[in-house]
């Protein structure tokens, strides 16, 4: 059932800054990773964010191009988010945004937006196991640098992190060698495609799955990531139960690579399907 604008804004106003791991199912915000509407966002960022809010999304996650913003533009975007009653709990960042040359600018933009997490969206380290251990060290170092700004680091998986390197899954290396404060943002679809079980992973890493990308995937090669939320292989009720009982989930993010519908229609349909599945 969709929220009225009045009830949606009232709910947004009552959401705490530090969302609790044991929040009730209905209090967990549902958001959109804006890569899902990337073409619209490129053409009209403010109009796209406004349209996403009007659909009923409670939070958004900006991805890599946001880094090109000036602080003035980021302040304008924050003003719009506040006007709409929408939060931005995290951003997706290229690996080099965590470099000495770029981390301060990323930090400042994230603070303006009101984020809690800066998430590394993708990496492909060389050197096998040692390369992944070095990446864990890089994440830990970034976490130390950002702590004084009350920002935490996150890591977002793709399918490669689940495929063994020298007999070990890179995701296990990252989980074992990073600080407990570093969020392991679970991309459900890529986890399933790689043959891993999201529920098992969540339960093996309690309190570290503060957000999930609710991306579905189908084993049918003609469909793959083009299915809408709920049309693929993911066992969503089991995933939600694990995320909310053990994972420490603070917010959910729907993400779509594309579908048989346009971007905005896809985002709308996925939100409706989420509500019907999650309640």
């Amino acid at each position: 059932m969709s929220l009225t604008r009045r009830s949606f804004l009232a709910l947004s106003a009552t959401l705490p800054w530090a969302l609790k791991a044991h929040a009730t199912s209905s209090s967990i915000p549902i958001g959109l990773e804006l890569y899902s509407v990337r073409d619209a966002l490129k053409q009209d960022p403010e109009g796209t964010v406004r349209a996403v809010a009007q659909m009923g999304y409670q939070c958004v996650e900006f991805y890599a191009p946001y880094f090109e913003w000036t602080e003035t533009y980021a302040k304008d975007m924050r003003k719009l988010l506040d006007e709409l009653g929408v939060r931005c709990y995290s951003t997706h960042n290229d690996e080099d945004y965590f470099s000495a040359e770029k981390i301060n600018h990323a930090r400042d933009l994230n603070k303006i937006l009101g984020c809690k997490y800066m998430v590394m969206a993708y990496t492909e380290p060389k050197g096998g196991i040692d390369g992944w251990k070095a990446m864990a060290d890089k994440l830990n170092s970034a976490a130390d640098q950002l702590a004084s700004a009350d920002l935490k680091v996150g890591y977002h998986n793709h399918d490669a992190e689940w495929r063994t390197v020298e007999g070990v899954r890179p995701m296990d290396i990252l989980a074992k060698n990073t600080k407990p404060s570093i969020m392991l943002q679970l991309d459900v679809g890529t986890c399933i495609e790689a043959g891993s079980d999201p529920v098992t992973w969540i339960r093996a890493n309690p309190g570290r799955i503060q957000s999930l990308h609710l991306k579905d995937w189908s084993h049918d090669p003609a469909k793959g990531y083009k299915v809408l939320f709920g049309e693929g292989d993911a066992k969503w009720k089991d995933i939600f139960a694990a995320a909310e009982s053990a994972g420490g989930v603070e917010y959910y993010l729907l993400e779509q690579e594309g579908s048989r519908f346009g971007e905005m229609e896809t985002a709308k349909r996925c939100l409706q399907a989420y509500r019907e599945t999650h309640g």
Side-chain angles (χ1 to χ4, degrees):
M1 182 174 67
S2 62
L3 295 168
T4 64
R5 178 164 175 77
R6 179 177 295 178
S7 61
F8 165 62
L9 291 174
L11 174 61
S12 298
T14 62
L15 288 172
W17 162 245
L19 297 165
K20 304 300 182 183
H22 299 293
T24 61
S25 175
S26 61
S27 72
I28 299 171
I30 178 63
L32 184 68
E33 161 49 66
L34 291 173
Y35 180 76
S36 307
V37 290
R38 51 198 174 276
D39 291 338
L41 190 71
K42 183 178 181 180
Q43 295 297 320
D44 183 3
E46 296 87 351
T48 301
V49 170
R50 190 178 294 277
V52 166
Q54 289 171 346
M55 290 179 194
Y57 282 99
Q58 296 163 291
C59 54
V60 294
E61 185 175 69
F62 291 100
Y63 70 106
Y66 90 94
F67 184 81
E68 302 302 323
W69 295 353
T70 63
E71 290 189 16
T72 298
Y73 187 82
K75 289 175 182 178
D76 289 341
M77 183 60 74
R78 174 63 185 275
K79 182 178 179 181
L80 175 63
L81 293 173
D82 289 345
E83 173 193 328
L84 297 169
V86 170
R87 292 296 302 269
C88 178
Y89 295 108
S90 56
T91 57
H92 258 209
N93 299 268
D94 291 348
E95 181 183 337
D96 69 340
Y97 295 179
F98 292 86
S99 67
E101 296 78 18
K102 296 185 177 182
I103 193 170
N104 288 342
H105 182 59
R107 175 202 63 201
D108 293 345
L109 294 181
N110 276 265
K111 288 297 293 181
I112 291 169
L113 290 171
C115 296
K116 185 176 179 181
Y117 299 98
M118 269 181 56
V119 181
M120 186 179 293
Y122 179 76
T123 185
E124 196 173 2
K126 308 298 182 183
I129 288 177
D130 289 341
W132 286 102
K133 287 182 177 178
M135 181 52 58
D137 291 340
K138 184 172 185 175
L139 292 167
N140 287 331
S141 177
D144 290 339
Q145 290 178 263
L146 294 172
S148 62
D150 293 323
L151 279 169
K152 295 184 178 182
V153 169
Y155 184 83
H156 171 267
N157 67 265
H158 287 78
D159 61 322
E161 289 87 342
W162 305 103
R163 304 187 191 281
T164 59
V165 175
E166 300 172 40
V168 183
R169 294 188 309 183
M171 276 309 296
D172 293 318
I173 297 173
L174 292 176
K176 180 180 179 181
N177 292 281
T178 52
K179 297 173 181 288
S181 63
I182 293 178
M183 171 174 65
L184 302 174
Q185 186 184 65
L186 176 61
D187 185 299
V188 173
T190 55
C191 177
I192 295 173
E193 181 193 17
S196 292
D197 179 10
V199 172
T200 299
W201 173 253
I202 293 168
R203 296 197 180 282
N205 295 277
R208 296 195 65 182
I209 320 295
Q210 289 91 342
S211 69
L212 294 83
H213 275 199
L214 307 183
K215 182 194 298 178
D216 217 330
W217 176 82
S218 171
H219 65 277
D220 182 344
K223 297 179 179 178
Y225 289 111
K226 301 301 182 182
V227 292
L228 298 175
F229 174 89
E231 294 180 345
D233 294 357
K235 297 179 174 61
W236 290 113
K237 289 189 179 296
D238 293 341
I239 292 168
F240 291 143
E244 292 165 28
S245 65
V249 64
E250 298 174 359
Y251 57 103
Y252 290 121
L253 293 162
L254 283 160
E255 184 187 20
Q256 197 74 22
E257 299 287 346
S259 81
R260 58 193 181 277
F261 303 102
E263 288 181 338
M264 301 305 284
E265 181 66 18
T266 293
K268 181 178 179 180
R269 286 173 179 265
C270 284
L271 180 58
Q272 181 180 353
Y274 166 83
R275 288 171 172 160
E276 293 169 352
T277 303
H278 184 268

